[in-house]
Amino acid sequence: VHHPATHLHHHMLFRGTKKRTGTDINREAVRLGDTFDAFTDLYSTFVFIRVAPQHTHRGFKLLCDMVRNSTVESETLEKEKQIVIREIEDWGEEPQRVLRHLVYRALYNRHPAREVIIEDPKVTAQVTREQILEIHQKFYNAAQQLIVVAVGRFNPVKLLKTIGESLGDLTKSVESPFGVPEEEYSRKTTKSVVHRWHGKKAHLMFGFRAPLCYHSDYFPMCVLSAILGEGVDSRLYTELREKTGL
């Protein structure tokens, strides 16, 4: 579950490294491909780029430089805080995001997820450069915290060699940085939350305990979730939109 500074941290990855300025990073990304972005969810930060096949290795090295060598300049950090704060303020107007926040608060008593779905602009404004550098050292420079995914047309042997050259010096940290408290659940307890919203529509959400991400039932549950309620061909969408006309 991310620290309040992690969202701001992924913004800073684009703002300059020891070798590249923020402008250099953006210009190179445009020359290499057409999609270049990052986002942070509850448990992970994703940094990605889509490039032409002949630029696979240059694109990978660009991401590596950003992830490993971000400088987090103090002046740039203060400017980026204002961008992140505006994003947070906009999120507060999204009913689905507010709803998820309320459901997590109802589901969890001790887990940090109950606090971090909607970030607090005041907390973001107080984030320091030292906090971001601490997160960078703890989460971005340990081998077991990093996953590389490559999809498409590329030379796998050559890419594996490039990955080894770029990340081979990463070591496994002695201790896991994750310290999430155990939750106590009651099978007999059902919670409900009602929140008055200024919009014209009603938004509903159900939350249930589910398998952990490394459990053998996790991916079957993801498939079941997609069948029941994700996308225009899901059973929920078909029932509500096609049959009921809501």
Side-chain angles (χ1 to χ4, degrees):
V1 176
H2 73 268
H3 184 282
T6 56
H7 178 196
L8 186 55
H9 176 271
H10 92 234
H11 275 247
M12 294 304 296
L13 297 179
F14 294 80
R15 301 294 280 167
T17 70
K18 298 173 183 178
K19 298 179 180 179
R20 297 173 170 91
T21 65
T23 300
D24 293 336
I25 290 173
N26 290 321
R27 285 178 177 172
E28 185 169 352
V30 169
R31 287 196 296 267
L32 298 178
D34 64 346
T35 302
F36 181 51
D37 207 346
F39 66 91
T40 296
D41 67 8
L42 280 176
Y43 299 100
S44 307
T45 292
F46 301 83
V47 185
F48 54 92
I49 187 170
R50 182 169 65 184
V51 299
Q54 66 270 26
H55 297 320
T56 300
H57 307 282
R58 289 181 61 189
F60 175 77
K61 289 183 177 180
L62 173 62
L63 295 185
C64 281
D65 186 33
M66 293 166 57
V67 168
R68 301 203 62 188
N69 301 309
S70 179
T71 52
V72 191
E73 297 293 339
S74 297
E75 183 177 350
T76 305
L77 174 60
E78 293 306 312
K79 294 179 181 178
E80 205 65 28
K81 283 182 183 181
Q82 301 308 311
I83 296 174
V84 173
I85 287 172
R86 287 196 294 271
E87 287 185 3
I88 295 171
E89 291 171 345
D90 290 340
W91 291 344
E93 295 299 316
E94 297 179 14
Q96 286 295 326
R97 188 180 293 270
V98 174
L99 185 58
R100 286 199 302 273
H101 175 62
L102 295 173
V103 169
Y104 274 106
R105 286 188 67 86
L107 285 175
Y108 296 115
N109 297 313
R110 303 172 58 200
H111 195 286
R114 74 187 310 272
E115 302 294 347
V116 299
I117 311 303
I118 297 179
E119 299 170 60
D120 187 340
K122 294 180 181 178
V123 175
T124 298
Q126 295 174 356
V127 170
T128 65
R129 180 174 185 267
E130 288 69 28
Q131 286 178 304
I132 292 181
L133 292 176
E134 180 183 1
I135 288 173
H136 189 88
Q137 180 62 34
K138 183 181 290 187
F139 292 96
Y140 287 73
N141 284 292
Q144 77 269 34
Q145 306 302 333
L146 179 64
I147 298 175
V148 177
V149 178
V151 178
R153 191 176 67 182
F154 57 89
N155 185 323
V157 175
K158 185 177 179 181
L159 182 58
L160 284 173
K161 180 180 179 182
T162 303
I163 292 173
E165 294 170 350
S166 303
L167 303 175
D169 61 325
L170 288 177
T171 58
K172 185 175 181 179
S173 61
V174 177
E175 298 181 1
S176 172
F178 300 102
V180 179
E182 293 288 335
E183 282 284 347
E184 296 180 2
Y185 297 97
S186 172
R187 296 181 182 273
K188 299 180 181 180
T189 300
T190 300
K191 297 181 180 180
S192 61
V193 178
V194 177
H195 179 72
R196 300 296 180 186
W197 186 257
H198 53 73
K200 297 181 180 180
K201 297 180 180 180
H203 298 264
L204 305 174
M205 181 178 289
F206 289 83
F208 303 91
R209 290 190 66 190
L212 297 175
C213 61
Y214 45 78
H215 193 280
S216 60
D217 289 337
Y218 176 75
F219 288 106
M221 284 290 292
C222 290
V223 174
L224 177 62
S225 176
I227 293 172
L228 294 179
E230 295 181 14
V232 296
D233 59 345
S234 69
R235 295 182 183 180
L236 179 62
Y237 184 93
T238 302
E239 185 70 27
L240 292 177
R241 189 67 177 268
E242 302 301 331
K243 295 183 180 181
T244 312
L246 296 179

